[in-house]
Amino acid sequence: EGTARMVDYLYLPATPYKARLMAANYIGRAKGLDLSQHKIRLMEVFNKSSDPYIRMALVLGFGKSKDPDFIPVLRAGLLTENDYRVKANVIRALGNYEYEEIKDIVLPYLKDKNPHLAKLASEFVLDHGVKEDFELYQSHMSDSLHWAVRCNLEAARLKHTPLYFTKTKNFISEGMVKTIQNTRNPYEKAAYIQALGLDPFNYELIHSVLTRHVTEPVCKVAAYQAFGQILRDPNFFKAFGYGYPKVKAQILEYLFQ
């Protein structure tokens, strides 16, 4: 009943703006909503509204619903929207759908001129990518990309490569270390150091980078976060088998140094 009332507030033009904005944020933020009976009216509100704050909230609600009927509206929002903040929320919303359904919508934004959208697209790849698209992610790599986008793409390749493809993983990790050595940007270094933690076998490499190549506090924090990421990795035991206590003890020793 509450959801129906909020949709009524949104749909009726006479509703004061502040009430419509609160109703839109209810759609965007409240958990466990069933929008199946309201999606036609909600899509109409979205298409007619010119207010970015209402549109930003609505698209998040569309994504949470995971209803495929909202995908065409979200796709159109990316193509026609002028406000990058709405586009950013569309990309976030699309992350709720099956990867194969929406990857062709999101991946072109890896090269978007707006760095916020490109970074969100790269985070989508990092969070939802698959090993079968390894070469596809590689094809999007270029020097023109913002460093944060390149880092996320490299991290995605490392994360989604099967655990025992050790040569491939080593090649990606060595490339990350070279970037750490060559850049003067401490935040870029930190991002790549933390990305190394996506492969449990990199624990010694992270320690080597920490002791030989970085001095900045933000990089040290990133290294500690990478160690923590390795210890929490669901593949930790699979990677080291019954030798995992020794590896865990070594990582803890690195943390106390």
Side-chain angles (χ1 to χ4, degrees):
E1 291 179 1
T3 301
R5 179 63 61 87
M6 294 299 110
V7 175
D8 286 342
Y9 286 155
L10 278 165
Y11 194 73
L12 298 174
T15 305
Y17 171 72
K18 286 186 178 180
R20 296 183 75 238
L21 183 60
M22 290 181 188
N25 277 280
Y26 168 88
I27 299 298
R29 298 186 185 196
K31 297 180 180 179
L33 300 186
D34 180 4
L35 301 181
S36 59
Q37 302 300 313
H38 311 289
K39 56 188 175 183
I40 300 300
R41 290 209 297 171
L42 286 172
M43 287 189 280
E44 185 178 340
V45 170
F46 177 77
N47 289 330
K48 289 184 175 180
S49 177
S50 60
D51 185 85
Y53 297 102
I54 289 178
R55 291 167 66 83
M56 285 165 63
L58 286 180
V59 294
L60 291 179
F62 296 169
K64 285 193 308 176
S65 75
K66 300 183 180 180
D67 189 326
D69 287 345
F70 284 119
I71 293 179
V73 178
L74 294 170
R75 181 195 294 268
L78 275 179
L79 294 175
T80 62
E81 182 62 54
N82 293 320
D83 193 309
Y84 85 89
R85 296 170 299 175
V86 180
K87 287 188 173 186
N89 274 9
V90 171
I91 294 174
R92 293 186 180 100
L94 287 168
N96 291 288
Y97 292 93
E98 291 296 325
Y99 171 81
E100 290 296 333
E101 286 185 291
I102 49 87
K103 70 174 183 179
D104 291 339
I105 304 174
V106 177
L107 291 185
Y109 285 87
L110 289 169
K111 296 183 179 180
D112 197 87
K113 293 180 180 179
N114 186 300
H116 303 288
L117 299 181
K119 187 170 183 289
L120 279 171
S122 68
E123 289 172 355
F124 167 81
V125 173
L126 179 58
D127 292 338
H128 305 289
V130 294
K131 62 180 184 296
E132 290 80 8
D133 282 349
F134 181 93
E135 296 298 331
L136 178 60
Y137 307 146
Q138 175 62 27
S139 71
H140 281 85
M141 294 290 292
S142 71
D143 292 338
S144 63
L145 295 178
H146 188 276
W147 65 260
V149 177
R150 289 198 310 273
C151 179
N152 281 337
L153 285 177
E154 291 285 18
R157 293 169 67 218
L158 188 64
K159 177 181 178 181
H160 301 304
T161 299
L163 187 63
Y164 291 107
F165 280 44
T166 52
K167 288 185 178 179
T168 302
K169 283 181 170 286
N170 288 342
F171 177 79
I172 297 170
S173 298
E174 288 168 6
M176 289 180 172
V177 172
K178 288 181 181 178
T179 300
I180 294 167
Q181 293 172 334
N182 294 332
T183 183
R184 295 183 179 181
N185 183 338
Y187 298 99
E188 183 176 4
K189 290 181 185 179
Y192 275 94
I193 291 170
Q194 191 161 354
L196 287 171
L198 292 168
D199 181 3
F201 291 116
N202 278 343
Y203 71 98
E204 291 182 322
L205 184 60
I206 294 168
H207 179 253
S208 174
V209 169
L210 181 62
T211 55
R212 297 181 184 180
H213 303 301
V214 299
T215 56
E216 301 91 342
V218 67
C219 295
K220 293 182 179 180
V221 170
Y224 302 146
Q225 290 173 329
F227 285 139
Q229 190 167 259
I230 289 172
L231 291 171
R232 294 189 301 271
D233 194 308
N235 287 319
F236 186 78
F237 180 81
K238 185 178 179 181
F240 301 109
Y242 290 105
Y244 83 91
K246 181 179 180 180
V247 175
K248 181 180 286 189
Q250 182 63 73
I251 293 174
L252 291 175
E253 184 179 331
Y254 291 155
L255 287 169
F256 280 108
Q257 287 179 355

